[in-house]
Amino acid sequence: NYLAENGVNSIYFLPMNVGGDGKDVWPWTDPNDRTSYDVSKLAQWEIVFDHMDRSGIALHVVTQETENDQLLNGGALGVERAIYYRELIARFGHHNGVIWNLGEENTNTSAQRAAFADYFKKIDPYDHPVVVHTYPGQHDTVYSPLLGNTDFDGPSLQTDSPRAAVIKWREASAKAGHPW
């Protein structure tokens, strides 16, 4: 309530930080069992996300962080990761403002990021935006290979020059045929 009252309209959060900074959030019954989802916990998350909707706050879902982006299937789109993404989309994709972020300070390969984005676009019936975050010095390395990819909707920028970065990637993506 406090955030909404003060004009906050988007909150980014990690639904899984096993091995990451906080090491205190995961959708499973146990952080080491990535096949059994805790439906009670997920129902509690839904209460919070419903309230965010009513308060006009978008859900910026950062699916992983640099410390754990290799945790599921060694970084690939395998069974564990596909089920994780499917659970997030099936349970929370109906919310009004959802942004799927493929990872914070992401170290996956360009091919892996493209596969993740493709999977989100194939199974998300609401066609929410798919983005990825990376370190400020790695924008060109991470974002350039995604230019023109119609399954990818843009960068999640961390920079000390936001205006210049936005202009650069808007122009580059438009030139590549899929404006961000």
Side-chain angles (χ1 to χ4, degrees):
N1 291 336
Y2 171 81
L3 295 173
E5 289 169 6
N6 284 281
V8 172
N9 64 1
S10 178
I11 297 175
Y12 85 92
F13 59 90
L14 290 154
M16 190 272 290
N17 68 4
V18 173
D21 291 335
K23 299 176 187 71
D24 57 0
V25 179
W26 52 84
W28 311 291
T29 55
D30 183 278
N32 298 309
D33 177 2
R34 298 177 191 106
T35 59
S36 299
Y37 283 77
D38 187 334
V39 295
S40 175
K41 181 188 297 186
L42 297 172
Q44 292 173 50
W45 291 5
E46 178 63 17
I47 292 168
V48 174
F49 299 159
D50 275 342
H51 189 69
M52 290 172 68
D53 266 353
R54 288 190 306 276
S55 301
I57 299 175
L59 288 73
H60 188 123
V61 185
V62 183
T63 60
Q64 59 187 5
E65 55 187 326
T66 190
E67 295 88 355
N68 66 16
D69 61 13
Q70 304 300 306
L71 180 70
L72 303 175
N73 303 109
L77 180 62
V79 173
E80 286 180 340
R81 185 177 299 275
I83 292 171
Y84 172 58
Y85 289 165
R86 183 176 293 276
E87 285 289 327
L88 290 175
I89 292 166
R91 292 178 185 277
F92 309 122
H94 67 278
H95 289 282
N96 294 327
V98 174
I99 300 165
W100 301 120
N101 191 319
L102 303 177
E104 176 251 6
E105 298 171 350
N106 186 271
T107 67
N108 294 101
T109 67
S110 296
Q112 288 170 334
R113 289 184 203 103
F116 302 164
D118 175 66
Y119 188 73
F120 268 93
K121 289 299 183 175
K122 282 183 180 169
I123 68 169
D124 179 3
Y126 303 99
D127 195 32
H128 292 297
V130 174
V131 302
V132 71
H133 179 269
T134 193
Y135 295 101
Q138 295 181 356
H139 290 177
D140 289 336
T141 303
V142 172
Y143 300 138
S144 293
L146 294 165
L147 291 169
N149 181 333
T150 58
D151 294 325
F152 185 75
D153 298 305
S156 172
L157 294 167
Q158 174 183 347
T159 179
D160 57 359
S161 304
R163 186 175 192 285
V166 168
I167 290 169
K168 173 184 177 170
W169 293 110
R170 284 189 66 193
E171 289 175 357
S173 63
K175 186 176 179 180
H178 181 66
W180 296 344

